[in-house]
Amino acid sequence: TDQNHGKTLFAEAESVLTDADGRKTSYEKSTLSFTAKGYGLTKAGEITLTMPEEEALVTVRLRLKDENGNIRIRNLVTFDVKSETGKEIALSEAKLEGKGGLRQNGRKLNVLAGGKATFTLDTKDLPKDAELVFEASARETFSRDLAEKERDLSSEGSYMLGYKVDRGANENCFFMTTRGKEEESTLTLYANGEKIGEFLLPDDPADSRGALSWHYQENPRKLDEAGTYGWLCRAKLPEKYLKGEKTELTFASINGFSLFGRESGRYPTGLRIE
């Protein structure tokens, strides 16, 4: 509108750091003022941002305020800052049992209901207090995850027979977070067959909090589980498994789960040992 033409406006930028352990810190704020000069674009000036030296996801919150401090526009932009944090395990190294596979060009691993994913870990050089850190969510099975012969096609295309549009059949689809319709799952972690951890995963959410899953979308016209994210999980590795050359870590769930790599999900962590 022309409500603020000729008046002073203030552009604010707040940098918020999310580290590999999920901690959030607001570490820098900048403000510049300018005069709105009518319709169209107005060059407001430049704001210099300082990136941290640690592994982090930086969200820059942008706000445009009027002379009375009222927010007129909000926006944000994200930056993925990389360094060396722990020993990351590539999701592509998983040995799958059951249905599932990699998504987001290898950045995310889905394991459907009843499946398992096993990683062989080189443990000979790990410290005695080694800990496994990862981001995980539940994973609902969509019809697009199934082979055509496994789908119920009895009424497909015929509304007279009760057919309803199956959004889960669309390769470009992932249901956004919906309160009251959570898909809960329990993830169990084993080391050489011994249970060492169990994690309740409340949902398979997808929204703006899955910043890395948005950030690394390669084709904006065909989204690949965009905005999906999970919960940060930790498990101590028993010392007895750190004395040998190799240890097998197995993730299993009755209802299905997802593991997020360093460039997917909400946290800049990946599947790592620290």
Side-chain angles (χ1 to χ4, degrees):
T1 69
D2 59 359
Q3 185 176 357
N4 292 295
H5 288 182
K7 297 181 180 179
T8 300
L9 297 176
F10 301 88
E12 294 183 354
E14 178 188 7
S15 298
V16 179
L17 176 155
T18 302
D19 67 16
D21 293 316
R23 294 184 293 261
K24 282 191 174 185
T25 306
S26 175
Y27 71 93
E28 185 178 52
K29 293 182 180 180
S30 301
T31 303
L32 61 83
S33 61
F34 65 98
T35 301
K37 298 180 181 179
Y39 296 105
L41 298 176
T42 298
K43 185 174 181 179
E46 296 182 353
I47 290 178
T48 300
L49 304 173
T50 304
M51 293 294 109
E53 296 183 1
E54 62 182 292
E55 192 96 0
L57 172 67
V58 176
T59 301
V60 181
R61 300 171 179 174
L62 303 169
R63 307 179 187 91
L64 182 65
K65 293 184 177 181
D66 61 22
E67 293 176 323
N68 297 318
N70 299 311
I71 298 176
R72 315 303 299 186
I73 299 174
R74 300 175 190 264
N75 212 330
L76 61 87
V77 62
T78 57
F79 297 89
D80 186 12
V81 182
K82 295 183 177 180
S83 64
E84 294 294 330
T85 304
K87 177 181 179 181
E88 186 174 358
I89 304 169
L91 298 180
S92 59
E93 296 178 2
K95 179 182 177 182
L96 288 182
E97 294 182 38
K99 295 182 175 65
L102 294 168
R103 298 296 301 236
Q104 300 178 4
N105 200 22
R107 297 182 176 98
K108 179 184 178 185
L109 176 65
N110 292 329
V111 182
L112 304 184
K116 298 179 180 179
T118 298
F119 298 85
T120 300
L121 180 64
D122 184 355
T123 54
K124 62 181 179 180
D125 296 323
L126 294 179
K128 293 181 179 181
D129 58 348
E131 187 175 39
L132 180 68
V133 183
F134 59 95
E135 180 179 352
S137 75
R139 179 54 160 83
E140 178 184 1
T141 299
F142 302 126
S143 49
R144 65 175 166 85
D145 297 318
L146 304 175
E148 186 170 324
K149 64 181 181 181
E150 298 176 292
R151 302 182 188 182
D152 180 9
L153 304 177
S154 58
S155 63
E156 185 166 352
S158 175
Y159 292 95
M160 297 297 290
L161 296 176
Y163 173 73
K164 296 181 180 180
V165 174
D166 181 5
R167 294 176 177 84
N170 189 335
E171 282 292 328
N172 202 32
C173 167
F174 198 99
F175 301 141
M176 294 288 103
T177 307
T178 305
R179 186 173 297 176
K181 294 185 177 181
E182 292 82 2
E183 294 289 335
E184 186 179 285
S185 184
T186 299
L187 176 63
T188 306
L189 176 63
Y190 301 88
N192 290 348
E194 178 187 350
K195 179 178 175 181
I196 63 169
E198 187 172 88
F199 308 89
L200 177 63
L201 305 174
D203 196 11
D204 57 346
D207 53 56
S208 61
R209 286 169 286 191
L212 289 166
S213 294
W214 285 108
H215 190 83
Y216 286 100
Q217 288 293 311
E218 297 186 357
N219 182 357
R221 296 181 62 84
K222 186 178 180 181
L223 298 179
D224 187 2
E225 306 197 357
T228 55
Y229 63 95
W231 284 263
L232 206 57
C233 304
R234 291 178 172 273
K236 288 283 187 181
L237 296 178
E239 188 176 342
K240 64 182 178 180
Y241 295 122
L242 303 177
K243 297 177 181 179
E245 295 289 320
K246 303 289 183 182
T247 297
E248 284 196 343
L249 296 176
T250 300
F251 298 80
S253 174
I254 295 175
N255 295 329
F257 64 96
S258 294
L259 295 176
F260 296 84
R262 171 61 184 78
E263 295 178 343
S264 181
R266 183 177 185 177
Y267 305 104
T269 177
L271 178 60
R272 76 179 197 273
I273 301 289
E274 63 175 30

